[in-house]
Amino acid sequence: YPTQGAEISEILIQDLTGKRVNVLVRGGEYIFVVKGKFLEQCRAVHFGIHIRLTSGVGVTGQRYPGSGRSINEVSANSHFEITFKFRLSLAPGSYFVGGGIWSDFEPECLHRVLDKAMIKILPVAHDEAFGYFDASSRGAELILEQG
């Protein structure tokens, strides 16, 4: 997507110690860092990040400052670094990370990147979950009365 007032230059993933990683453990907590610059003065700005399957299907994401809210004004030549924290309960496999910067005014999409980073989620031993992500809160419990 073309830059129209802002530019995302980098998306990187860190563990909680700040080490840059792209092979992640399922269920672990990670920090996704988005860096860039505003090329022009922009109003009513909001940021977003997404994680997609390699097929292109979006599985999760976050926005800042939140639905229906925005940053009033950002000056030209302002640099930004925004962090999004995720507990990744995704199924083992490879995923793409992208994001964007939007405005409530024209142009609405200031910049968007789809596949800026790739991550790989490792399986866990004796996994009980399946599907795109693990939404379970506890393990299953069986009561078995043998006859």
Side-chain angles (χ1 to χ4, degrees), residues 54-91:
T54 55
S55 66
V57 175
V59 291
T60 190
Q62 291 183 38
R63 65 184 101 194
Y64 179 86
S67 182
R69 300 175 67 197
S70 63
I71 300 163
N72 288 336
E73 190 171 310
V74 179
S75 303
N77 299 314
S78 296
H79 292 265
F80 68 87
E81 179 176 310
I82 183 167
T83 58
F84 297 92
K85 295 176 180 75
F86 283 91
R87 178 181 303 279
L88 290 179
S89 296
L90 299 171

Side-chain angles (χ1 to χ4, degrees), residues 1-9 36-42 45 74-80 101 110-111:
Y1 290 87
T3 58
Q4 299 188 87
E7 182 175 29
I8 295 171
S9 59
K37 179 180 181 179
F38 285 89
L39 308 172
E40 301 171 10
Q41 180 179 347
C42 298
V45 173
V74 179
S75 303
N77 299 314
S78 296
H79 292 265
F80 68 87
I101 308 166
L110 302 173
H111 193 214

